[in-house]
Structure formats: C-alpha cells, structure tokens
Amino acid sequence: DSKQSTFIDSQTKPIVKPQGAMFSTSEVIINKQGGSFGFSFEGGTDQPKTPGDHNIYVSKLANDGAAERAGLSVGDRIVEANGISFLKVAHQIATRAFLSNPTTLKLRIHRNNGGSTENPLSAFSGQEPKGALDKAMVFTHEQNIEFSKGKSGLGFSLVGGKDHPRSPGDSNIYISKIVPGGAADLDDRLQVGDRIIEANDISFMGVTHSLAIATLRSNAKGVKLKISRRCQKFIIVPDNGLYGLGIRGGKDMDTSLEIATVKDGSAAANVGLASGYKILYLNGLSAADLSLQEAKNEIRSSKSNLELVVFQTPK
C-alpha cells in the first residue's frame, strides 16, 4: 500500500489518563527486534487519511510484534517521533523520523479511550491553525468529582429540574452557586454552570429539583458527582516564537491552572483567549496533574503550536 510504511520490545510510559477523560496521552518506547518495529502507519499532508486530516495514525500492528508488546494500538495518533513534531508533516517526513534512530523509536501518542468523538483531543482535524477558534472545537467535557462535606455541608447550590426548568425545555440540574470557603470551593473542581449527570451513582436525567437535593444529601460524608462542562479547544501558533500569555495556579499551588494574563495583539489574544480562563488540558496533559513550573516548561517547549482546552467561569 503506497499510503503505508511498515516498521516495526519496549515500554509504555503513561503521561496522563485523567479520571473521566475520553483520551490518554502516552509515551511509547520501542526497541527494534528482528529488523522491524512491528507497525504500519498512514496519513500525512500529502496522503491524508480523510480529507482535511493531515495527522499520522497507526494503521496496522504485526502480531506479537515489538510495537504491540509496547502497548501501541491501531488508531493511535502519533504526535511526535524521536523528538520530531508530527504536526502537518508529509508521509515521507514521518518515515524519516521513524528511521532517525536505527534501534529505538520513542513515540508520543494520543489515544481515544472509547469516549465521544466530539472530544477534539482524540479526533483533532489536523487542519492548519488559522488564528481563530473553530466552532467545531466547542465540546462537552465529562468529569468525575468526589469530595467530603465541610462544616456547612457541600458548599454549593443547584438550579433546575423537570419541575423547575432553568429555561423552557431544559430539565437538567446545574450548579448555580459555589459558597466561598465551602467544601466545593476548597476542592476547586466544581464550577458554576456545570451540569450534574449523576450524584452518588444516581442518574439526574429527568429528576425533580427536590429529588436532586435529597440525592445529594443521601451521603452523610460527602458527595460523588459526574458532571459535564462546556469547553473550548484553542490551537495557538506562536508569533515570533511567543504565545503572549501568562499562567498561574497548578498542582503545587492547590489551585486550578488558569490563564493569568494575555498580551494585547499576541498570538493568544488573536485566537480569543483572555485572563481568567481555566485550563483543563495543555498539549493533551491534564492540567490537574501539572505544577506551575511543569506547565510553564510545557508551553516553552511547544515550538510550533500550543493546544489548550479551557473553560470560562461565569462572572
């Protein structure tokens, strides 16, 4: 097949597989055995898998080959090979990158974990960034959140229910308020506007407001939630090597990672980013797992583009 090049022991180092996420990012190291790495690939700017999709994908695995034993899967999107970015590369360039080390292949891959194809991190179009947010990059992110009650309870309020719809035809349950200093606020994951899908393993589909309250109170120690949140994915191309944004927070700060500043006229400003946006994923890495310095290092190491999945909290 002219659109595939076969290469083909090894180890897989998961970088992130956040709870509730629909994708994972992994580092896979394959040591060539028997003259082959044990997989084929397809795609590239000159041989797109589908129209407009210039990404590189794993298309075939040799049975019990080095790549298969390393944990590679058919459908994995290859983001980087031997330190070379695979954003908008031709098929032949990808081939050369795979062969740049004759014995070892180090890959960074994105994998769909069976979630919705609406998640752009597992189904990035591969089209050239044009400096503006693509409306198709607006999607719903689901997350599992569990925390203990505080002295004043759970620390949040609800709106909605089939008997008290937030708007006509919308019977969902939403977070309407986070009490400052309360349990939810201190946990720092729940946000105003989040829709509650489940609480304490009970579905909130079509429930009344009073039943939702009773369900939340059914666990004397705390609450277990499954929520959905409207998010956006931005792809930023640097301007003279700079993105023009500052960040704050991080795992080591016990606060959410967020955009602190955006310089006027910068690459970040041109795509519509602004201070106050909360960061969920940075180049496919869960922001919840990153310290401030790790996040800064990731941004600085992103030479060709920066991928951010963010959400904006209501003012």
Side-chain angles (χ1 to χ4, degrees):
D1 190 328
S2 63
K3 290 189 177 183
Q4 295 182 354
S5 297
T6 303
F7 300 108
I8 320 271
D9 170 298
S10 43
Q11 61 194 79
T12 304
K13 176 185 177 184
I15 296 176
V16 59
K17 187 176 180 182
Q19 186 180 24
M22 302 303 183
F23 76 99
S24 60
T25 302
S26 299
E27 184 179 280
V28 182
I29 300 175
I30 309 172
N31 297 312
K32 184 183 288 187
Q33 290 186 348
S36 175
F37 287 118
F39 73 94
S40 301
F41 73 98
E42 61 184 343
T45 56
D46 53 339
Q47 298 180 19
K49 181 180 178 181
T50 57
D53 185 348
H54 300 145
N55 294 306
I56 301 292
Y57 299 91
V58 176
S59 60
K60 187 184 296 184
L61 294 174
N63 187 37
D64 199 34
E68 185 177 65
R69 291 195 300 271
L72 209 59
S73 295
V74 171
D76 286 347
R77 177 165 74 89
I78 301 176
V79 181
E80 186 178 284
N82 291 335
I84 299 171
S85 172
F86 269 25
L87 178 68
K88 289 198 66 185
V89 298
H91 192 90
Q92 188 60 36
I93 297 299
T95 301
R96 292 174 184 171
F98 290 136
L99 296 174
S100 62
N101 187 317
T103 60
T104 303
L105 179 59
K106 182 178 179 180
L107 302 177
R108 188 178 185 189
I109 61 102
H110 279 179
R111 175 175 301 163
N112 188 341
N113 290 325
S116 167
T117 57
E118 292 178 356
N119 188 333
L121 284 168
S122 59
F124 171 46
S125 68
Q127 297 178 352
E128 182 176 6
K130 298 178 180 178
L133 174 65
D134 186 334
K135 292 182 180 179
M137 292 184 184
V138 177
F139 67 104
T140 299
H141 165 79
E142 294 185 0
Q143 184 176 359
N144 297 319
I145 299 174
E146 187 172 0
F147 57 89
S148 300
K149 286 184 177 179
K151 293 181 179 180
S152 302
L154 295 172
F156 64 87
S157 301
L158 304 177
V159 65
K162 67 178 184 180
D163 52 340
H164 295 289
R166 187 175 72 162
S167 58
D170 184 354
S171 62
N172 294 306
I173 301 290
Y174 299 90
I175 304 297
S176 60
K177 181 181 180 181
I178 303 290
V179 178
D185 184 38
L186 295 175
D187 180 75
D188 197 36
R189 288 180 292 173
L190 206 60
Q191 301 292 332
V192 171
D194 287 349
R195 178 169 72 88
I196 302 180
I197 302 171
E198 294 179 3
N200 298 327
D201 297 319
I202 297 176
S203 172
F204 268 27
M205 179 71 71
V207 300
T208 63
H209 189 86
S210 58
L211 180 57
I213 295 294
T215 302
L216 290 167
R217 291 174 175 170
S218 64
N219 185 334
K221 294 183 178 180
V223 69
K224 178 181 178 182
L225 300 173
K226 182 176 182 179
I227 61 97
S228 68
R229 179 180 298 152
R230 184 180 179 275
C231 302
Q232 296 172 321
K233 179 183 177 183
F234 292 85
I235 300 174
I236 315 168
V237 178
D239 182 5
N240 292 322
L242 300 175
Y243 293 105
L245 59 83
I247 59 174
R248 61 189 169 211
K251 181 176 65 174
D252 52 329
M253 306 283 186
D254 287 328
T255 59
S256 299
L257 198 64
E258 64 179 51
I259 296 175
T261 59
V262 174
K263 185 178 180 180
D264 290 344
S266 66
N270 289 339
V271 299
L273 281 171
S275 62
Y277 275 80
K278 302 280 188 177
I279 302 173
L280 274 175
Y281 299 104
L282 194 165
N283 288 341
L285 303 175
S286 172
D289 296 331
L290 298 175
S291 68
L292 179 60
Q293 191 58 53
E294 288 171 336
K296 288 181 175 180
N297 291 343
E298 181 66 28
I299 293 173
R300 289 167 182 155
S301 67
S302 302
K303 303 301 183 183
S304 58
N305 74 91
L306 179 67
E307 297 181 15
L308 293 177
V309 175
V310 301
F311 64 96
Q312 190 173 19
T313 56
K315 300 294 185 182

